[in-house]
Amino acid sequence: MWTRILRRLFFVTALAILVWGGYELVQRQRGLAKAIEFSRFELWDKARTELGKYLQLHPGDTQARFMMAELWINDDELLSNESLPRALSHLQRIPDSSTLGAKARTYEAKLLFLVSHQPVAAERLLRKAIQLEENRLEAHLLLCKVMEMTGRHDYCEPIFWKIYELSDPADRAVRLRDWYMSQFFPLTANDYLDRQMGFTDATTGPLPTEVIRYVRFRETEPDAPLGRAALARWTRRSGKPAEALSLLDVDKASPDNELRDAFYVATWMDCLMDLGEYAAAAERLQKWPGAREGFDYWRLKAMILDEVDEDYEAALEAYDLALATWPGPTDWRLMHRRIGCLVRSGKQDAAAQSRAEAEEVTGLMKDEVHNRLRYVLGFLDNPEFLREVGDFYRKLGRSREAEAWTREAARRIANTLE
Amino acid sequence: MEAELPGFLSGPAKKDRPGILPRFTSVASDARIDFTFFSDIVPDRYLLPEIMGGGAAWFDFDVDGWLDLYLMNGCPLELANAEQPEPATSSFLNRLFRNRGDGRFAEVCRAASCSQDAVTGDRYGQGVAVGDYNADGFPDLYLANYGPNVLLCNNGDGTFSDVTATAQVTDELWSTSPLWMDLNADGQLDLYVVNYLLVTRENTTVCKYDGVLGYCGPGSYEAAPDRVFISQGDGSFVESAEEFGLGTSGGKGLAIAALDFDNDLKAEIYVANDMMQNFLFTRSDADGTDPSNRSVRYTNVAIEAGCAVSGSGVNEASMGVACGDFDGDQLPDIFVTHYYSHKNTLYHNLGNLVFHDDSHRTRIAATSYETLGFGTVAFDYDRDRATDLFVANGHVLGPKHSPDAMPPQLLRNDGKGRFVDISEFSGPYFQKLWLGRGAAGGDYDNDGDLDLLVTHVGQPVALLRNDTPTARHWIGIDLSPPDRQVPLGGRVVVTAGGQSTTLPVVAGGSYLCHSDRRLLFGLGDHNETVTVEVYWPSGRLDAFSDVSIDCYWRVAEGQSPKRLVSSI
């Protein structure tokens, strides 16, 4: 009899467990749906609890992982140091090979840049995202912002044209306007991001926003050369090359880190040139990291060939390559260096012609020109205004932008006719 | 006994050319030169002239062989437009200090009537130029003012007369640096008057820098056009800037220098403009015509020559100018002082009126980012045959801004045209902060090295006696006997031990100042006689061999050199 009682008890218990387990399973299975429901009402904590249950059952569900990361980030009641590591840990569990791999890397990058102020880590993830999904617009957009906000706006051109290509035609005028701002007003082009990231806090005193930003980047990624180079570049442009050089901390420059960074090396070389250390600058050019191309490379090579080697013909070739690469077409200072080189090589007529061209470019950089352009760019539905912008680029010899603006103008005229 | 510079001069520069520890002793008090420029700085007024300082001139007014000193002075600026001017006080008078020849000076201005009429308070002193315009053997003074300028004729008896009205050389614009030179090649001295800005009490604006009020710079005011007064040969002048092609508009000039840059024996004129393109006027004479009938024309070639703007095309805030052969290629180069956090500029003369901004390679740039330079003197302080530089520094925004006062600089040329700042080894004066403005070089003790007179805003002038201990040798050449005009356009080549050094005859230079016109050559360790060649503007070449050294020689065209006085 006791045996029977025990058997029944066991059976009832097992059944209860099964029923409870089944109930739990169903509940957890419904966790995803519940989480979605709670998130609609911004009940982030409950949504996370439900989604957590679901993820226990489906740890490899990348959609759910992504959603969990969003639930952490969207919760305004949490401090970023509470939510960010959790969100990142979920994103990091989404493998590159997943269909959400590129999206997850982009989102990680966004968090690392906007919240953690880690541009180098963000850039690495964005490049990975683009490698995984070449046409991921968001990744290109954010990469461009990372470049601009780390003082590398001059390096953005290829990224911009990819953004333009991937953008919906209806958005292209706005993209072009952003590009104009990046080209001619790089320090204020991202005011909204500076505010969002807390760099334009009223308590920051008289320091320019970009300096506050660069100092922060240097703090968050002390081992990365970028923050130091950005700060040094700004300092050098403020007329303090010796101080800029000390900011670069070149004594500690590592062949595997700083010396592999063209932006860092270019800033270093500029400081050396300013301080008359031409031999050291020339030596550094010989060890230029990465591809031997781009504005900074050609510019510095031209200056070394011109000032150190006095090989004027080769210098002129390098000047031409630099001036053809953005921001070369606007760099009237470099144009004047080239003019000096022409004079020294006895080409007075060519120098006179180049002087006139440089004068024209200098005129196009004047405040009154850009005050007008900024005004007309407030009316992207006005085809006449858009043509005006196109004309400006045409005068600058920037046919690609000129054509793009002209197309936008034509599109608006066509829309009006329809 | 020569003291070597410590080992901060590394590499070949130290090995090849051991430096000598400079020593400049501040001796103004001992020399009895007690003078502070009256700047009339009124808090919160921000009237620009009050921070520009005043000029100085080394010249031998009594032709006794010793350089005397003339110092410009300010006056109350508010009186410029007042109906009832206040009586003048002695603190507004310009000063003349006569060199007694014993290292001391005696103030003789009142006796000499050498000051302009400060009673009206509308002549706020700026720059001064020295030239014997009436060729009577006694140097005269043209005083540039914020307010009407003044021509003081040296009567030759120790007194001066104000002849501005009869000479018709009044210029009521804000003048800075005047220059005497024979502009139309008629044998008479003419005047080029550099003018700065159209600033009045009424149009004065106040600017904010990082939220703090300060003086507005040249960008806030229109340019005042330069004036050119051509001598009529009868003691009167006619303003003729346009006629001679010198009416180029848009300059906001602070300094001027005239010398022959291209070895054609005709002086070019270089005008340093503040935040505007500098001018380089070159002279062309119509062929086959009589030079006295004004066939002379000037053309501004600064842009084509590459010395209008920096090498990267930037209009720089040019304050002072010094010319000298800094790289030993026998061609005079141009050094221009500029604004804080910007570089000073050294234009290397490549010949044929082509210049190259060589500021970075020469390390002129590296020495100047943290200073705001005004007056400057090119001279060989240690007689090593390389031209060094002195720069007077000081900011212009006002005392509420930092930096304000600054240390001056002595820049040593390493003999290869590269400069090292050796100020910290140069004496106590260089360790202090000053609002430096004018700087004039003159060998007032005739000991064969150039001494320096520096003017300041709000601080007494400094007389820096060059006491650099060196056994190196020198020779001085004076090409302007009392009865002759300064042979501007000419040059002197001294060859010692097979090495030649060329110095051009220079008029003007620095900022608001007039320096000793004698040419001083350092000879290094060469201790024998030298060869002297004088290239006169007439085309004549006088060459003298076996000229003894360590003394001054006076040379007149076509005559044998005469040995001059010895030192104190």
Side-chain angles (χ1 to χ4, degrees), chain A residues 128-397:
Chain A
K128 182 71 185 173
I130 291 167
Q131 190 188 336
L132 295 170
E133 189 183 327
E134 194 191 349
N135 291 339
R136 172 156 283 280
L137 174 61
E138 194 188 7
H140 290 285
L141 276 170
L142 188 58
L143 181 57
C144 195
K145 295 294 161 202
V146 170
M147 304 283 279
E148 286 173 0
M149 295 186 76
T150 49
R152 295 173 297 164
H153 41 272
D154 291 346
Y155 293 23
C156 282
E157 191 187 6
I159 306 168
F160 166 72
W161 288 114
K162 188 69 183 175
I163 292 168
Y164 181 78
E165 182 193 307
L166 293 174
S167 294
D168 187 287
D171 296 335
R172 284 183 175 172
V174 174
R175 302 287 185 230
L176 284 167
R177 181 170 62 188
D178 287 349
W179 175 228
Y180 165 84
M181 289 300 290
S182 169
Q183 288 175 303
F184 298 100
F185 298 93
L187 297 183
T188 52
N190 296 297
D191 274 350
Y192 70 101
L193 277 178
D194 274 326
R195 277 195 299 277
Q196 189 181 331
M197 294 167 79
F199 296 132
T200 46
D201 190 330
T203 61
T204 51
L207 276 177
T209 305
E210 62 272 20
V211 174
I212 296 162
R213 194 196 308 142
Y214 300 153
V215 168
R216 172 72 179 147
F217 292 158
R218 190 180 59 168
E219 284 167 1
T220 52
E221 295 180 313
D223 296 330
L226 183 61
R228 275 176 286 150
L231 195 57
R233 195 169 272 223
W234 184 90
T235 305
R236 176 189 164 260
R237 285 181 175 163
S238 305
K240 296 173 181 172
E243 192 180 327
L245 193 59
S246 70
L247 285 169
L248 285 172
D249 217 357
V250 290
D251 289 344
K252 294 175 188 164
S254 151
D256 299 323
N257 190 12
E258 287 86 352
L259 302 186
R260 293 177 68 177
D261 187 322
F263 182 67
Y264 180 93
V265 171
T267 309
W268 183 2
M269 282 185 62
D270 275 325
C271 292
L272 290 171
M273 296 284 284
D274 282 353
L275 296 169
E277 302 292 345
Y278 280 16
E283 186 188 333
R284 194 46 53 198
L285 184 73
Q286 296 302 319
K287 299 172 184 169
W288 184 265
R292 298 194 165 205
E293 59 186 20
F295 175 72
D296 272 341
Y297 175 74
W298 291 119
R299 174 178 65 85
L300 289 161
K301 179 162 186 171
M303 287 162 63
I304 297 284
L305 286 166
D306 184 5
E307 303 272 351
V308 182
D309 301 340
E310 298 184 6
D311 183 347
Y312 301 130
E313 289 304 318
L316 287 169
E317 280 179 34
Y319 277 125
D320 288 342
L321 286 164
L323 290 169
T325 311
W326 184 261
T330 63
D331 194 341
W332 51 269
R333 286 180 169 84
L334 195 66
M335 290 174 200
H336 277 276
R337 282 187 173 275
R338 181 177 172 276
I339 290 163
C341 186
L342 283 167
V343 170
R344 287 190 291 286
S345 59
K347 297 175 179 171
Q348 292 287 1
D349 290 345
Q353 190 186 329
S354 299
R355 206 173 281 122
E357 289 164 6
E359 199 63 31
E360 206 170 316
V361 171
T362 308
L364 289 171
M365 296 298 110
K366 286 189 171 165
D367 285 350
E368 55 261 37
V369 173
H370 288 277
N371 288 343
R372 170 69 187 170
L373 285 171
R374 284 204 287 185
Y375 170 76
V376 304
L377 285 170
F379 302 91
L380 290 179
D381 52 350
N382 184 326
E384 284 308 310
F385 281 178
L386 303 197
R387 273 208 197 110
E388 207 174 315
V389 186
D391 287 344
F392 161 77
Y393 276 109
R394 203 162 286 115
K395 285 179 194 163
L396 203 57

Side-chain angles (χ1 to χ4, degrees), chain A residues 239 241 276-278 333 344 355, chain B residues 303 312 341 356 360 363 369:
Chain A
E277 302 292 345
Y278 280 16
R333 286 180 169 84
R344 287 190 291 286
R355 206 173 281 122
Chain B
I303 292 174
S312 51
S341 82
H356 167 47
H360 291 108
R363 295 191 181 171
Y369 292 112

